[in-house]
Amino acid sequence: VTCFFIDCLEDIVAGLEKIHSLLKPRGLWINVGPLEYHGSILSPTLSQIIELAKEIGFAFEKEEIEAMELPYFNRPYALQNLQIREAAMFVARKS
């Protein structure tokens, strides 16, 4: 499970390859989070990430990716800093 993670990777390709290598055969990768990028070399769109993940060896459980709004705090316990972020949730299986 990765939560608010993909957009924090410096190298998204290497990160997705690492997730793939850590999973057992037919293991599930569940991801939820925005794509706001914090220091990444690349800033791919969600559709580009999905295509890359497929090339690496993931099969998506549903072709439709669920979009949702999630609360996000810049600092713990700081209610005045609450922001709503658009996020995507998907489930992929190591093939």
Side-chain angles (χ1 to χ4, degrees), residues 12-33:
I12 291 171
V13 175
L16 297 185
E17 288 173 339
K18 185 65 173 181
I19 292 168
H20 189 267
S21 74
L22 293 172
L23 289 171
K24 293 180 179 180
R26 308 256 324 127
L28 288 178
W29 171 31
I30 301 167
N31 178 76
V32 64

Side-chain angles (χ1 to χ4, degrees), residues 36 69-74 78-85:
E36 296 190 7
E69 292 184 341
L70 296 175
Y72 180 81
F73 294 94
N74 285 333
L79 290 176
Q80 69 272 19
N81 290 321
L82 173 65
Q83 299 174 357
I84 302 298
R85 303 281 173 97

Side-chain angles (χ1 to χ4, degrees), residues 27-47:
L28 288 178
W29 171 31
I30 301 167
N31 178 76
V32 64
L35 296 177
E36 296 190 7
Y37 298 104
H38 310 279
S40 298
I41 297 168
L42 302 173
S43 300
T45 64
L46 180 59
S47 61

Side-chain angles (χ1 to χ4, degrees), residues 38-79:
H38 310 279
S40 298
I41 297 168
L42 302 173
S43 300
T45 64
L46 180 59
S47 61
Q48 290 171 324
I49 290 171
I50 290 167
E51 288 306 311
L52 175 62
K54 287 178 180 178
E55 289 177 24
I56 290 171
F58 284 102
F60 284 78
E61 298 293 297
K62 294 189 317 184
E63 285 299 316
E64 297 172 8
I65 305 302
E66 185 176 338
M68 62 184 73
E69 292 184 341
L70 296 175
Y72 180 81
F73 294 94
N74 285 333
R75 291 178 295 172
Y77 313 110
L79 290 176

